[in-house]
Amino acid sequence: MRKEVLAAIITGILIGVVVAFGVWRANVAFKPEIQSAQTESSSPTPQPTVIENGGITIAKPEQNQVIAETPAVITGITKASSWLAISAEEKDYILKAADNGEFEVSAELIGGANQLVTYAFDTNGQEYTNNLILVYSTEFKSEVKEPTPTDGTPKEAESVSDKIQEKLKEASKIPTAYLGTITDITETTVQVRTLAGEIRQISVTPQTSYAKINKASKNIGLADVAIGDFIIAMGYQDENDVLETQRLLVTEVVTLSERKSILGTVVEAKKKELVVQLNDSNQLSLIPSDDLEVTIEEKGKLTNIKLADIEVGDVIIAVGVDLKPNLETRRIHITEKAPESTPTSSPTP
């Protein structure tokens, strides 16, 4: 009897040890995952500064955004202390980024589609580009949605899904445009192929206004819009990226701009032509346009000068239309003057 009791006690102890060991192993296995999850939820992931296109990020406005007034304030970031040339439809802007890479410029817009071609040149002479398309419409001004007011301080979204929904809500408040060629059309929807080759859907309502823009603008109706027309549709995107259109323009086809900017050193200065050596050792001829503007910064102030004031050895930024192999130039800015040569002293007789 004593042996049976002793055996039962020993068996119970062994079972208890096995169960305790199993619980301990389970805790060890799951504890790192729990700690990791707690760490991720309590410590927000730092958001790195993203520089698109290798060296330029346009923060505001967004691509294809509808702008109701001009000038439009363009803000962004590039590499520290880089030179920037921002070429709008009718005017060019040359500036230097701050020490932290931030930049801001007010650019004049024209009615309809505007392409802002931005070039950045870092301190090593490396070149980066960015093409921003904006649509300027005064007719859209009264239709712009105001941001939804919030009661008190906005609270942080609790989950990834909530954050996505918040971003979608914010995006839906920004008026945007679809630019492209109509591939299909019904009484309530229009399908377009965008400049990027994507198929997008546009919804129209009885409140949608229409106009045809060419040499003379005139109001039209949906019946005057046909497959093959190039259009600019303005409105707000829903959660499915369908554009709820408030205004639709039939206009000429928008093609990518051939405007270009260069940074180089003048190696030959003629009366009506400059030859510039680029960073890659190639040379380019600059042909001045009729409305050429030449500037230099003196004592912190931008000063207009003449083409004849540019000398061999000057470092310049030039903006114009790429005619290959020449550049029809409409803006030149001297970033660095050629060093003055010290005259050689004559020997004393």
Side-chain angles (χ1 to χ4, degrees):
M1 186 68 179
R2 290 181 178 178
K3 291 181 178 181
E4 292 176 355
V5 172
L6 183 61
I9 293 173
I10 294 173
T11 302
I13 293 173
L14 290 174
I15 293 174
V17 170
V18 171
V19 171
F21 180 74
V23 172
W24 176 77
R25 287 299 302 273
N27 287 335
V28 171
F30 287 106
K31 189 174 181 180
E33 296 182 5
I34 295 172
Q35 288 178 342
S36 176
Q38 290 175 345
T39 303
E40 291 178 2
S41 61
S42 59
S43 302
T45 304
Q47 299 297 322
T49 300
V50 178
I51 300 182
E52 299 172 353
N53 301 316
I56 307 173
T57 293
I58 303 297
K60 290 181 180 181
E62 296 188 2
Q63 185 71 266
N64 295 336
Q65 185 170 332
V66 178
I67 306 296
E69 56 186 22
T70 186
V73 178
I74 314 298
T75 60
I77 187 170
T78 184
K79 292 188 176 180
S81 303
S82 295
W83 279 101
L84 291 120
I86 302 176
S87 178
E89 294 294 332
E90 295 182 344
K91 192 172 181 180
D92 308 303
Y93 307 87
I94 297 176
L95 63 151
K96 197 170 186 180
D99 293 340
N100 61 359
E102 294 181 356
F103 63 88
E104 177 178 315
V105 66
S106 296
E108 294 288 343
L109 304 179
I110 63 171
N114 291 257
Q115 293 187 64
L116 280 76
V117 184
T118 301
Y119 278 75
F121 305 95
D122 66 16
T123 52
N124 297 320
Q126 186 66 39
E127 172 188 305
Y128 307 98
T129 63
N130 184 298
N131 194 331
L132 175 68
I133 296 179
L134 302 176
V135 175
Y136 172 51
S137 173
T138 54
E139 295 293 330
F140 199 83
K141 186 172 184 178
S142 60
E143 300 165 348
V144 174
K145 290 183 180 179
E146 295 294 334
T148 305
T150 56
D151 49 348
T153 304
K155 60 181 180 180
E156 185 179 355
E158 297 179 354
S159 67
V160 174
S161 177
D162 292 336
K163 291 179 180 179
I164 293 174
Q165 291 300 320
E166 286 298 320
K167 287 187 176 293
L168 288 174
K169 288 179 182 179
E170 289 299 321
S172 67
K173 299 174 185 176
I174 300 175
T176 190
Y178 285 173
L179 295 81
T181 304
I182 296 178
T183 58
D184 193 17
I185 187 169
T186 69
E187 292 182 356
T188 57
T189 61
V190 176
Q191 180 176 279
V192 298
R193 184 182 298 277
T194 67
L195 297 175
E198 301 172 331
I199 298 297
R200 295 288 189 179
Q201 301 296 327
I202 295 169
S203 66
V204 294
T205 67
Q207 287 72 42
T208 303
S209 62
Y210 304 84
K212 189 168 185 177
I213 309 296
N214 42 36
K215 293 182 180 179
S217 303
K218 65 176 182 179
N219 293 328
I220 59 174
L222 180 60
D224 302 308
V225 180
I227 293 176
D229 286 344
F230 188 90
I231 65 169
I232 300 175
M234 294 171 270
Y236 297 88
Q237 290 175 300
D238 65 12
E239 62 275 8
N240 298 316
D241 288 339
V242 175
L243 189 72
E244 299 173 353
T245 307
Q246 296 186 11
R247 185 162 176 79
L248 188 150
L249 305 179
V250 177
T251 183
E252 296 179 355
V253 177
V254 175
T255 57
L256 292 179
S257 174
E258 295 182 343
R259 276 173 275 136
K260 180 181 180 179
S261 301
I262 61 97
L263 170 68
T265 303
V266 177
V267 294
E268 190 173 346
K270 301 179 182 178
K271 186 176 181 181
K272 293 185 178 181
E273 181 182 358
L274 296 177
V275 179
V276 177
Q277 182 167 315
L278 308 179
N279 190 51
D280 58 5
S281 298
N282 290 325
Q283 292 188 355
L284 182 68
S285 294
L286 308 184
I287 310 300
S289 63
D290 294 336
D291 54 351
L292 173 67
E293 181 183 8
V294 184
T295 58
I296 187 173
E297 186 173 343
E298 295 178 329
K299 298 179 180 180
K301 185 178 180 181
L302 199 66
T303 304
N304 287 83
I305 59 176
K306 297 179 180 180
L307 180 65
D309 295 327
I310 299 178
E311 302 174 343
V312 172
D314 288 348
V315 180
I316 65 171
I317 290 178
V319 186
V321 178
D322 190 3
L323 298 181
K324 296 178 182 177
N326 302 326
L327 184 72
E328 186 180 34
T329 311
R330 64 184 197 181
R331 175 73 191 276
I332 295 176
H333 180 74
I334 300 176
T335 65
E336 183 181 341
K337 285 294 292 180
E340 296 183 4
S341 58
T342 305
T344 305
S345 58
S346 302
T348 304

